[in-house]
Amino acid sequence: MKKIIYFFYTKSVGVYINLLSFVFLEKATQIAYNLFSEPRKGRLIKTSLPTVLQNSDNETFQHNGDHFQSYTWKGNDTVILLVHGWESNASRWEKILPYLQESGSTIIAIDAPAHGLSSGKEFNIPQYAEFIHVLFQKFQPTHLIGHSLGAKTCLYYQSVYQNSDLQKIVVLGSPSDFNIILNNYIALLSLNSIVSYGLEKHYLKSFNLELENFSGKLFASKIKTKGFIAHDTDDTVVLFAEAKKIASTWKNSILIETNGLGHSLHDDELYKKIACFLFETE
């Protein structure tokens, strides 16, 4: 029953946007973009944070009129930055934390735009990368770990900023082609070609991005930093083929194939492999 209700809801929204596009294209495009970019889950309440985040040092940063939240588990001078994905927050790293803390490292996690305790209603990768850069300027992390769209943000960040202090990057369940995500959304709502074109123009105008170039595969081709790519063959959210695209252009990377973990990739053996990759001696 829920699936039927959801189907009719999405199609009804799509019909409304399509009809509106014939009269007010800009408004129709903005509504379509807002629905696409605004997460429905992942927010946190400051007075009732998950225990793992309560046991950290919380800090709020201001950037270009927005604010974002970070959480720090203090250790030595080696700093690892954790970057979560869509409709999640910094607490998603709870299970991997003990494996990273065994090294004695300082661990920092961030809440993405419009997630956790960070401000805003819109998630976009360029802004997320700006937040990451603020933390890099203050804490100089040498290791970066991202999951899902957070992983793609890590690829985007390093391809744009070319941070020479960054030694290793771990990407978990990362999508590559943005067009696939957007086209799935367009198909879900059955949006017409007018709105589809309007969305493409919106990205070009707002972010100076040609959608075909907004690709994890392209980002990875510009990265010299050593990389660890993990993806599950049973991932139905981001298909395994996306990881193979990223690995095909990231020359200094390894691809780890898992089975039965789905998109979350929570697994003790995988965490051990990640820790080994990060802290192995050359």
Side-chain angles (χ1 to χ4, degrees):
M1 178 63 72
K2 288 183 178 179
K3 289 184 178 180
I4 296 175
I5 293 173
Y6 182 70
F7 174 82
F8 281 107
Y9 169 75
T10 55
K11 298 306 177 184
S12 297
V13 170
V15 168
Y16 170 73
I17 293 173
N18 287 338
L19 291 174
L20 187 64
S21 70
F22 293 110
V23 185
F24 301 108
L25 176 56
E26 187 173 336
K27 185 176 180 180
T29 300
Q30 189 62 53
I31 292 173
Y33 176 78
N34 290 345
L35 289 173
F36 178 67
S37 62
E38 183 175 346
R40 290 162 292 281
K41 297 186 295 184
R43 286 289 191 185
L44 292 171
I45 300 173
K46 195 168 187 177
T47 55
S48 58
L49 289 175
T51 302
V52 65
L53 299 183
Q54 291 180 29
N55 295 330
S56 68
D57 292 332
N58 301 352
E59 187 172 2
T60 304
F61 291 82
Q62 304 294 326
H63 180 70
N64 290 342
D66 293 297
H67 69 263
F68 66 91
Q69 192 74 12
S70 74
Y71 310 84
T72 301
W73 296 266
K74 290 184 178 179
N76 59 34
D77 291 338
T78 298
V79 180
I80 305 171
L81 179 58
L82 307 178
V83 183
H84 73 79
W86 174 253
E87 293 189 338
S88 184
N89 54 63
S91 69
R92 76 92 53 205
W93 301 107
E94 180 176 9
K95 294 181 180 180
I96 197 176
L97 270 176
Y99 294 91
L100 301 178
Q101 290 174 317
E102 282 182 5
S103 67
S105 302
T106 292
I107 317 297
I108 301 173
I110 181 176
D111 282 333
H115 291 77
L117 296 179
S118 296
S119 67
K121 293 184 177 180
E122 172 190 336
F123 172 94
N124 69 75
I125 285 177
Q127 184 185 35
Y128 202 1
E130 289 179 18
F131 290 178
I132 290 171
H133 193 56
V134 171
L135 296 182
F136 263 94
Q137 290 175 309
K138 179 171 182 177
F139 298 106
Q140 291 86 48
T142 54
H143 301 83
L144 186 59
I145 303 176
H147 174 252
S148 194
L149 280 178
K152 184 168 181 177
T153 303
C154 292
L155 297 174
Y156 174 83
Y157 170 81
Q158 187 62 354
S159 71
V160 171
Y161 290 88
Q162 295 291 323
N163 193 319
S164 60
D165 294 326
L166 185 56
Q167 298 174 9
K168 295 179 180 179
I169 304 174
V170 176
V171 296
L172 307 172
S174 176
S176 175
D177 297 345
F178 183 75
N179 270 332
I180 292 178
I181 300 173
L182 183 61
N183 288 336
N184 286 342
Y185 169 72
I186 290 170
L188 177 66
L189 269 63
S190 298
L191 297 178
N192 62 33
S193 58
I194 302 173
V195 179
S196 300
Y197 180 65
L199 285 170
E200 289 188 23
K201 286 180 63 179
H202 178 86
Y203 274 95
L204 184 60
K205 179 181 178 181
S206 300
F207 306 111
N208 195 28
L209 291 173
E210 295 281 357
L211 294 186
E212 61 268 22
N213 295 329
F214 199 60
S215 159
K217 177 180 177 180
L218 180 60
F219 301 155
S221 70
K222 301 176 183 178
I223 296 175
K224 297 179 180 178
T225 312
K226 192 172 183 180
F228 179 105
I229 306 164
H231 212 109
D232 197 79
T233 56
D234 298 325
D235 190 339
T236 58
V237 177
V238 179
L239 299 183
F240 182 73
E242 295 291 278
K244 295 171 78 172
K245 294 175 186 177
I246 293 169
S248 70
T249 62
W250 194 352
K251 295 181 179 179
N252 195 18
S253 70
I254 57 172
L255 173 59
I256 303 297
E257 176 182 323
T258 65
N259 307 103
L261 303 182
H263 188 57
S264 66
L265 289 167
H266 289 308
D267 179 66
D268 292 336
E269 291 303 314
L270 177 60
Y271 294 154
K272 291 175 184 177
K273 290 179 181 179
I274 292 171
C276 182
F277 167 77
L278 293 178
F279 308 120
E280 66 184 355
T281 56
E282 301 295 342

